[in-house]
Amino acid sequence: MGFSINTNVASLQAQEYLRVSSDFQQKTINRVTSGLRIINSGDDAAGLAIANGFRSDRAVITQGIRNANDGLSSLQTIDGGLNNISQLLDRARTLAAQSASGTFTGDRTVLDSEFQSVLSEIDRQSQSIGLNTGGVFAKNLNVFIGGGRGATNTETINNGSVAIDLSTSTVDARSLKLKGLQVTGASATDVDEILADSTNTASENVSGYTDFYFRGAGFSDDDRLRVQVNLTGVDDANELVTAINGAIESAGAGGTGAATAFKNAGITASVVADSSGTEKIVFKSSSAAFQVSAGDRLSNAVLGNVVSGTQTGQALDYKVQGATASSTSASAFAAAGNVIVRVQGGSLAQAADITLSVTTSTTAADALTSLSSLVANNSSLMAAGISVTGSTAGSAVEFTSKRGEHFEVMAVGDSLNSLGLGSAQFTAGTASASFDVTSITTAAITASTSGATTSTLGFSVGGGSYVTGSFTQGTAASASTLVSDLNNFFAQDASLQRAGLVAATAAGGAITISSNNGSFVRVNQSATAGGGDLGFGTVAGAASTTTVATTSATTSAAINSGGAYSSGQLAFSRYASGSDDQTVTLSLKDSSGVQQSLAVNLQADSTATTGRTIDEAVNYLNNQIQASSSADLKKIVAVKERDEANGGAERIVFLSPALDFKVSVGNSTGAKGLFAGTGSTQGSVVSSSLLSGGANVGISSQGDAEAAVNALAAAVSNLGKVQAVIGRGQNQFNYAVNLASTQLTNLAASESRIRDADLASEAANLTRAQILQQAGIAALSQANSAPQAVLSLLRG
């Protein structure tokens, strides 16, 4: 072989092998000293990724075990509280059993005092352990532990969680049906006088029967439940209560959705003693917020609304009276066509329109007779208790509600105002079948050759008050001049601007007045001076913008259940124009602690009519609430209530049986619709508050005590069910901790097999590395000295 002194190949090879041996030795020392097989990513990239995943899973499960143990501790605390409440129920049952004995001769008031304190302590302790209504733990408790598997992230989270549903496991007195919602009526000792009062009995719609009306979630507005009580053989409070409960049971068996909702509300009547020991007629429910209203003076007296110093129920009549109707025996109508009389309000979910077909030979007496007959046979008006109580030619036509609820009457198509309800017009030459129009076209405008023509025109938007103005036409008819004058007039009035009213010329020398945003409009023309005609009809001197008079004989005929959460009274003003839309939002935290909300848009135009009256708004609100997907929102009901401090104005009140809620009152362009409180504030939020006067189980009488014994027996059973849920939850957490601990051990073992070093193997490797390094160093020394052999050749 050849010799080379420039390139020492053997040395280079020895150096390379020595480097490899040195790296091997260094890696082996690292593994031995760290105990890990994988020090750097390059040691085993795939294995490191798997090991890191196991380590991350271990961290999650370790925290998950802590979570489960925290949940277990919470359930153990709750369990201890439930044991205390169980003992409180034992004491309450003891007191009730003592008071229920016919041989007890002591003071039941003393027993009842302690009994009520026991109920209060149950409420306090249920709040302390978070299982009161709306409490901290009264929800679906989801405790994440980890270790779950699934095809999606959601499945993985769900499979790694333990759910304990405590949303229906509340144990406060109300949840145990020891407290509820209640309407308190008249004193039981006054019932015999109420039943014997001739004024009361004379007001009955059907002789021998008195009527109550109930409103609640699922049975409100036009679906309100009428409970007709048979008074045959009823002489005292206990007999009356029995008769009322029988009628309630019959009403609940009606077969409709409203009847079923009423039945499920569990409303009953009873005689209970108040805090002063006075026995009262009450209506109670353990789970539903409701309102009771009277259908006659007798039922109004039973509800406690009596004329001062008597047992006569307050009168309920609410009357609407028009102007004096025509007394002429000749024709009272200028042309053949329709006269539409609209009745709205008074618990009518939608306006009731009565259409009278008249001819030029129809007299006022004929029309009034037809009106009375049509109203009497209208099912909606009959159900609302509205009838015509005065319809004589030459006198004011009179409508009456026997329920004391506000309503209004309007007319259109009666150009001579023969009925005294106003002379708003249809489009000229038509016999419209619709009260609501967004456009009206006049007859041809005519001028007087003897001088200028002046007329007063009135414009009503959405059934509101008329806005009037005076308009003059010269000796030559000019539709364009009148159009210009009208548009200038519209531009000067804010309400007409919001209605988008626009005047324009039409064919044949006529004009058209229309709304560009779907607002409903009525137009009247008063008597014309000068002999011409502006095309809206002549009323021969009668005031075309007739305003009907109203009188109310009642103060209050409806009572909301105490113990309910209430929004308080919210003022209402009818939505008039197409720009008056408003959004009302209800929100609450449901029984699972999840925020729920419902936004309802109210309006009154050609798109939708959901707020022309307070009754229409209440009906639409309740329909939307019942259409909600939230079970807790569905328990809210909107009702009407009179504001006696403000002239008996009707307000809207929202009621909820168990959960507090909020009402967000949006802004309306025309400041119409709902207002926060009884003022004029919009764009704010109203929070509910708890009404006083809820029902409590009591033992102040033997009868009450007997009922309490049964109620407490049911409460003990219900508490046992809650304890079973808590016990099951504790077991679930124990099982989950056991599984998680096993997973944690296995994950640690799996990670160790990948990440940890085999020290026996690594010790052998270390010895090998040391030998290789020593041999390498010796060989390198020899390789480095090999070129020196060439010198011996040169010396030779």
Side-chain angles (χ1 to χ4, degrees):
M1 56 177 293
F3 288 94
S4 172
I5 61 173
N6 289 327
T7 303
N8 190 340
V9 176
S11 176
L12 293 175
Q13 289 176 335
Q15 290 177 48
E16 176 61 21
Y17 289 134
L18 184 59
R19 183 188 65 78
V20 172
S21 297
S22 180
D23 288 347
F24 177 65
Q25 182 186 42
Q26 184 62 43
K27 187 177 293 185
T28 302
I29 290 172
N30 287 341
R31 288 176 175 174
V32 170
T33 55
S34 69
L36 299 175
R37 184 180 69 86
I38 304 174
I39 305 298
N40 302 306
S41 299
D43 295 339
D44 183 356
L48 181 62
I50 296 172
N52 285 344
F54 287 155
R55 184 179 63 190
S56 180
D57 288 345
R58 285 176 59 201
V60 169
I61 293 177
T62 299
Q63 182 58 51
I65 291 174
R66 295 193 192 103
N67 293 346
N69 284 326
D70 289 344
L72 183 58
S73 297
S74 296
L75 291 187
Q76 288 170 342
T77 302
I78 291 172
D79 196 19
L82 295 179
N83 286 331
N84 287 341
I85 292 174
S86 179
Q87 293 175 16
L88 288 169
L89 289 177
D90 291 345
R91 179 56 183 164
R93 293 190 76 182
T94 300
L95 293 169
Q98 185 179 7
S99 180
S101 173
T103 59
F104 178 74
T105 57
D107 189 349
R108 286 188 170 88
T109 304
V110 175
L111 293 180
D112 188 56
S113 177
E114 183 183 351
F115 185 87
Q116 298 304 324
S117 69
V118 169
L119 297 186
S120 298
E121 182 61 15
I122 289 174
D123 282 337
R124 189 191 71 80
Q125 294 204 14
S126 67
Q127 184 177 31
S128 296
I129 62 175
L131 284 185
N132 58 311
T133 301
V136 176
F137 295 121
K139 58 186 178 182
N140 188 17
L141 298 176
N142 241 328
V143 178
F144 181 70
I145 297 174
R149 294 289 181 269
T152 64
N153 289 337
T154 300
E155 287 184 6
T156 300
I157 294 295
N158 290 339
N159 291 336
S161 301
V162 172
I164 310 296
D165 188 2
L166 301 181
S167 59
T168 59
S169 296
T170 49
V171 291
D172 54 343
R174 175 175 291 185
S175 300
L176 295 174
K177 299 188 178 355
L178 301 177
K179 284 186 177 180
L181 302 102
Q182 177 174 291
V183 167
T184 302
S187 172
T189 57
D190 296 330
V191 169
D192 56 342
E193 294 181 45
I194 291 172
L195 294 170
D197 188 284
S198 59
T199 303
N200 290 340
T201 55
S203 72
E204 294 168 356
N205 298 303
V206 177
S207 180
Y209 291 83
T210 188
D211 294 335
F212 294 91
Y213 287 87
F214 290 83
R215 293 172 174 85
F219 55 99
S220 57
D221 318 311
D222 54 343
D223 286 328
R224 62 197 176 278
L225 257 292
R226 176 189 184 189
V227 173
Q228 192 173 50
V229 183
N230 187 346
L231 300 177
T232 302
V234 175
D235 297 312
D236 59 29
N238 290 322
E239 291 174 346
L240 177 61
V241 162
T242 300
I244 292 173
N245 285 329
I248 286 174
E249 184 176 353
S250 297
T256 64
T260 300
F262 176 64
K263 179 181 179 180
N264 292 338
I267 299 171
T268 59
S270 60
V271 178
V272 301
D274 63 16
S275 57
S276 66
T278 303
E279 290 191 326
K280 299 275 191 177
I281 299 286
V282 301
F283 296 89
K284 296 190 292 185
S285 170
S286 62
S287 59
F290 63 98
Q291 182 189 72
V292 186
S293 59
D296 52 54
R297 297 183 74 165
L298 194 152
S299 57
N300 208 18
V302 172
L303 291 176
N305 301 316
V306 296
V307 176
S308 179
T310 73
Q311 296 306 326
T312 301
Q314 290 276 0
L316 296 176
D317 291 350
Y318 183 88
K319 298 180 182 295
V320 173
Q321 197 172 61
T324 301
S326 173
S327 60
T328 178
S329 58
S331 172
F333 300 94
N338 291 332
V339 174
I340 301 178
V341 177
R342 166 164 288 183
V343 183
Q344 61 185 21
S347 281
L348 291 167
Q350 294 290 328
D353 290 341
I354 305 298
T355 301
L356 307 175
S357 296
V358 299
T359 67
T360 54
S361 60
T362 302
T363 66
D366 293 335
L368 290 171
T369 299
S370 177
L371 176 64
S372 297
S373 175
L374 290 171
V375 169
N377 288 284
N378 184 283
S379 59
S380 296
L381 294 175
M382 289 174 62
I386 297 173
S387 60
V388 176
T389 51
S391 58
T392 304
S395 302
V397 62
E398 182 180 81
F399 293 75
T400 300
S401 165
K402 295 182 179 180
R403 314 273 169 71
E405 296 183 72
H406 295 196
F407 69 100
E408 56 188 343
V409 182
M410 299 175 284
V412 65
D414 181 11
S415 63
L416 300 179
N417 198 25
S418 297
L419 301 180
L421 298 173
S423 57
Q425 292 303 295
F426 298 120
T427 289
T430 66
S432 176
S434 174
F435 187 96
D436 296 314
V437 295
T438 60
S439 178
I440 297 174
T441 300
T442 69
I445 298 172
T446 60
S448 172
T449 57
S450 60
T453 298
T454 301
S455 289
T456 298
L457 297 180
F459 304 90
S460 169
V461 178
S465 300
Y466 282 94
V467 178
T468 60
S470 181
F471 299 88
T472 301
Q473 185 77 28
T475 54
S478 173
S480 60
T481 299
L482 181 56
V483 165
S484 177
D485 292 343
L486 284 168
N487 285 328
N488 287 335
F489 177 72
F490 296 156
Q492 295 170 13
D493 185 88
S495 65
L496 300 182
Q497 279 185 305
R498 288 196 304 274
L501 293 190
V502 178
T505 57
I511 67 169
T512 295
I513 295 175
S514 60
S515 167
N516 60 19
N517 61 17
S519 300
F520 298 124
V521 60
R522 291 183 297 158
V523 182
N524 269 316
Q525 176 180 316
S526 68
T528 302
D533 184 11
L534 299 188
F536 288 99
T538 303
V539 293
S544 62
T545 54
T546 296
T547 300
V548 296
T550 61
T551 57
S552 177
T554 188
T555 52
S556 179
I559 306 176
N560 297 330
S561 55
Y565 285 93
S566 168
S567 65
Q569 293 183 345
L570 305 179
F572 179 84
S573 173
R574 82 167 85 227
Y575 301 94
S577 70
S579 60
D580 287 342
D581 296 14
Q582 182 187 36
T583 299
V584 178
T585 304
L586 296 171
S587 59
L588 53 72
K589 282 189 177 181
D590 65 16
S591 53
S592 297
V594 178
Q595 187 73 26
Q596 302 285 349
S597 64
L598 172 69
V600 181
N601 189 60
L602 295 170
Q603 61 189 100
D605 52 43
S606 58
T607 303
T609 52
T610 57
R612 293 173 297 184
T613 66
I614 189 172
D615 297 275
E616 202 169 70
V618 166
N619 179 71
Y620 186 69
L621 285 165
N622 283 323
N623 286 343
Q624 295 303 109
I625 289 171
Q626 289 304 305
S628 166
S629 60
S630 168
D632 290 296
L633 280 173
K634 284 183 175 181
K635 294 177 182 178
I636 296 177
V637 62
V639 296
K640 293 189 303 180
E641 187 174 68
R642 287 171 60 95
D643 182 3
E644 303 303 343
N646 287 284
E650 290 184 330
R651 313 295 195 193
I652 292 179
V653 177
F654 292 91
L655 301 173
S656 171
L659 298 175
D660 59 341
F661 61 94
K662 293 182 179 180
V663 182
S664 176
V665 179
N667 288 307
S668 168
T669 303
K672 301 295 184 182
L674 274 176
F675 299 87
T678 57
S680 57
T681 303
Q682 290 186 327
S684 60
V685 177
V686 177
S687 296
S688 65
S689 58
L690 189 64
L691 295 177
S692 61
N696 271 16
V697 171
I699 58 171
S700 57
S701 69
Q702 183 178 351
D704 287 348
E706 290 171 348
V709 169
N710 292 329
L712 286 164
V716 169
S717 176
N718 290 333
L719 182 66
K721 293 176 183 177
V722 175
Q723 288 176 306
V725 172
I726 297 299
R728 185 171 66 246
Q730 292 180 68
N731 290 336
Q732 279 184 265
F733 280 133
N734 280 322
Y735 299 147
V737 168
N738 291 340
L739 175 60
S741 297
T742 300
Q743 289 177 306
L744 192 61
T745 300
N746 291 333
L747 285 170
S750 299
E751 183 189 1
S752 175
R753 280 190 289 270
I754 296 173
R755 193 189 298 273
D756 292 349
D758 182 349
L759 290 181
S761 175
E762 297 304 329
N765 287 338
L766 182 59
T767 302
R768 175 171 164 244
Q770 289 173 340
I771 294 171
L772 286 173
Q773 188 173 40
Q774 292 171 5
I777 292 172
L780 179 60
S781 175
Q782 291 295 323
N784 286 337
S785 64
Q788 294 180 2
V790 178
L791 293 177
S792 63
L793 294 175
L794 294 176
R795 285 196 297 267

